[in-house]
Amino acid sequence: MKKAFVKSYGCQMNVYDGERMQEQLAAIGYGLTAEPDDADLVVLNTCHIREKAAEKIYSELGKLRRAKTSREKHGKETLIAVAGCVAQAEGAEIVARVKSVDLVIGPQSYHRLPELIEERRGSGKAVIETEFPEAGKFAGLAAPKTRTPLTRSVSAFLTVQEGCDKFCTFCVVPYTRGAEYSRPVADVEAEARRLAELGVRELTLLGQNVNAYHGVAENGETVSLAGLVASLSKIDGIVRLRYMTSHLRDMTDDLIEAHAGNPKLMPYLHLPVQSGSDRVLKAMNRGHTAENYLRLVKRVRAARPGIALSGDFIVGFPGETEKDFESTLELVREARYAAGYSFKYSPRPGTPAADRSDQVEETVKDERLQRLQALLRGQQRDFNQACVGKDLEVLLEKPGRQSGQLIGRSPYLQAVHLPGEGLKPGDLIQARIEAVGTNSLSAHCREAA
Ligand code: 5AD
Ligand code: SF4
């Protein structure tokens, strides 16, 4: 049996795509290996969001090239495929730079992986597939016969929306993932039901602009994300729903109401703001001000008290002054985050901000990043600390490192460790939170459902 090694970098959608590639490969007889040197096919499912992410791929490809040469001496086929957002952005450039790459496959074409492998074998030439095909990839993805790590877990990702039309001036996503697209409702429901039948209990609906979801229902009507959440809540076995990533401009009233009225929709909102300075927000083409953001956060908290808020931030966007940066700190203090993801601005080729002449110095970016991260870490600690002594609902996911221990997630996405006697993954329990560790909470079970 041939073996494939698939590694995904970057966001959750890439994780989802990687799993779907594994399903496609399993369908043509590949087994999976965790050892790249052992693989007949290596797929690097890449991320292009920041420079470091992309550069990592080239160093990885260097290592793979050496492994390939030594395997080929023993007559073993070794195909190297670059998939994902670097594949889309760089295309043929990858093969020009690393001759041993056999396949370059963009995020909209990976359903064709089996036939592209055949094409590579037939032609003996590298295959580059970075079109955005008319017939969508979702329709071309066969329902899997095997369970992948994703569908084995009680918590699974499900892409419902993909691509972006908003064109923030720093971001590559509109170029690598293409135009905004929503999967039809029936298609999403069928996949959700299949996952539920495989034992999945929690779904995280994915999209670069997930709350812009507007899928067509079978009766021809358009369904919003709130509508989709309502219908997926009715599927037997699905006890929790989450969604990410949202944009402020698409935070509609019905979605906010869903947080108030639907107990299966988890009290967690990932809502990137990027900056707290209106001047920078404008230059980023975000289409909102700091005040719009804070007002929205207030409304969401009124609808669902205690909801956990997380955000993304960029420091050192071109032209960002110390005063602009302080506005970001100010916004963070006011919004109060349960988790925050902050990044140094990284100029991405082909995006408008990359061409600006007022780039911020690296040392300044470093210093701002440290200050912001210290603030966010403190807020996360406070959020976690406030949970101690409370009972939280925990969905148990997997065994912990210590024997008998289980790890689950709270509604706020915190990892929770507890003694698992009489319990198993998939159980939804009430847990009393006892202490805050470095990356998780410890607890004991108060009540099993
Ligand atoms: N530089 C730094 N961070 C970026 N992000 C997106 N593009 C860039 C860039 N060019 C961050 C944003 C986004 C997250 C996924 O990555 O904060 O929300
Ligand atoms: Fe990376 Fe963005 Fe592509 Fe996800 S969509 S893999 S974050 S570049």
Side-chain angles (χ1 to χ4, degrees):
M1 192 194 214
K2 284 195 182 294
K3 286 191 216 144
F5 170 81
V6 180
K7 181 168 181 183
S8 292
Y9 301 79
C11 64
Q12 284 86 350
M13 192 178 287
N14 247 23
V15 174
Y16 172 87
D17 291 342
E19 298 283 342
R20 307 258 17 209
M21 284 183 225
Q22 291 182 15
E23 291 170 358
Q24 304 305 299
L25 293 172
I28 55 167
Y30 276 96
L32 294 177
T33 172
E35 216 11 271
D37 292 353
D38 213 27
D40 306 279
L41 168 67
V42 174
V43 182
L44 298 185
N45 187 27
T46 61
C47 172
H48 202 241
I49 198 88
R50 285 170 292 274
E51 191 179 347
K52 274 210 181 119
E55 274 312 308
K56 211 156 43 182
I57 300 308
Y58 283 105
S59 88
E60 197 70 27
L61 286 174
K63 276 187 243 159
L64 290 172
R65 188 190 40 163
R66 288 188 287 279
K68 176 171 175 149
T69 313
S70 102
R71 279 174 55 93
E72 282 177 347
K73 274 194 201 125
H74 297 95
K76 292 184 193 155
E77 178 188 59
T78 310
L79 297 174
I80 299 178
V82 178
C85 291
V86 175
Q88 189 64 40
E90 309 237 308
E93 185 62 29
I94 298 173
V95 180
R97 204 164 145 181
V98 189
K99 299 270 179 308
S100 46
V101 169
D102 299 284
L103 298 132
V104 176
I105 306 167
Q108 301 310 339
S109 309
Y110 66 77
H111 57 296
R112 297 187 52 224
L113 193 51
E115 60 187 281
L116 296 173
I117 291 171
E118 277 314 308
E119 193 181 321
R120 168 70 183 86
R121 285 188 182 130
S123 73
K125 284 203 298 256
V127 173
I128 293 149
E129 177 53 279
T130 52
E131 296 296 305
F132 291 115
E134 287 273 303
K137 86 183 152 209
F138 292 108
L141 285 169
K145 296 184 190 71
T146 49
R147 294 178 73 179
T148 67
L150 188 77
T151 53
R152 263 200 298 278
S153 163
V154 300
S155 180
F157 297 131
L158 201 179
T159 294
V160 303
Q161 180 281 334
E162 189 170 351
C164 183
D165 295 338
K166 293 202 169 62
F167 291 91
C168 296
T169 55
F170 52 81
C171 188
V172 288
V173 167
Y175 312 98
T176 63
R177 291 274 171 180
E180 216 168 281
Y181 167 77
S182 296
R183 290 176 75 182
V185 176
D187 188 13
V188 174
E189 285 173 345
E191 190 167 328
R193 271 195 298 272
R194 175 176 71 75
L195 290 167
E197 279 158 19
L198 291 168
V200 167
R201 308 209 69 199
E202 174 180 270
L203 292 174
T204 302
L205 311 181
L206 299 179
Q208 275 89 28
N209 276 286
V210 72
N211 59 344
Y213 178 84
H214 57 285
V216 179
E218 267 168 337
N219 64 8
E221 278 174 25
T222 302
V223 173
S224 67
L225 183 64
L228 186 69
V229 164
S231 88
L232 297 179
S233 301
K234 295 190 196 114
I235 294 177
D236 266 354
I238 298 300
V239 294
R240 283 180 165 189
L241 288 159
R242 304 179 180 278
Y243 61 93
M244 74 186 309
T245 293
S246 297
H247 195 289
L248 182 69
R249 273 147 65 189
D250 300 307
M251 245 6 254
T252 49
D253 294 347
D254 63 342
L255 187 56
I256 297 173
E257 276 157 30
H259 276 289
N262 184 344
K264 288 192 180 178
L265 183 59
M266 288 295 99
Y268 191 101
L269 177 63
H270 182 60
L271 193 65
V273 64
Q274 315 297 358
S275 170
S277 153
D278 289 345
R279 212 176 62 83
V280 174
L281 287 169
K282 191 149 192 271
M284 287 175 163
N285 190 33
R286 292 286 300 172
H288 63 78
T289 62
E291 199 198 326
N292 296 151
Y293 184 87
L294 291 168
R295 219 182 302 138
L296 194 272
V297 167
K298 224 179 242 170
R299 280 183 58 209
V300 174
R301 285 200 169 119
R304 184 68 171 87
I307 192 167
L309 177 69
S310 71
D312 290 345
F313 308 88
I314 295 176
V315 301
F317 184 81
E320 186 190 69
T321 62
E322 173 63 21
K323 193 158 162 267
D324 292 320
F325 174 66
E326 278 166 17
S327 306
T328 302
L329 296 177
E330 189 69 16
L331 178 140
V332 169
R333 280 189 210 104
E334 222 166 296
R336 285 175 292 115
Y337 290 92
Y341 305 90
S342 46
F343 312 99
K344 287 191 282 180
Y345 170 72
S346 165
R348 309 310 295 129
T351 59
D355 296 331
R356 286 181 52 158
S357 57
D358 50 356
Q359 301 291 328
V360 173
E361 263 182 60
E362 210 53 30
T363 50
V364 176
K365 288 187 201 170
D366 281 327
E367 186 252 350
R368 288 181 188 165
L369 186 70
Q370 280 184 25
R371 283 157 71 198
L372 178 56
Q373 288 187 338
L375 178 62
L376 289 166
R377 262 198 311 274
Q379 292 196 341
Q380 179 162 31
R381 221 170 20 236
D382 293 346
F383 184 88
N384 289 339
Q385 206 63 50
C387 295
V388 174
K390 286 193 185 145
D391 286 350
L392 297 185
E393 182 199 82
V394 171
L395 175 62
L396 296 174
E397 286 185 3
K398 58 185 179 196
R401 239 181 263 149
Q402 286 162 30
S403 99
Q405 197 182 47
L406 286 173
I407 305 180
R409 295 246 171 218
S410 77
Y412 310 121
L413 219 51
Q414 297 143 308
V416 180
H417 287 73
L418 48 82
E421 205 186 329
L423 301 169
K424 59 180 186 318
D427 289 349
L428 196 61
I429 62 159
Q430 287 294 323
R432 171 66 54 92
I433 307 302
E434 289 162 341
V436 179
T438 8
N439 295 312
S440 64
L441 307 177
S442 54
H444 67 266
C445 178
R446 295 267 290 171
E447 195 187 319

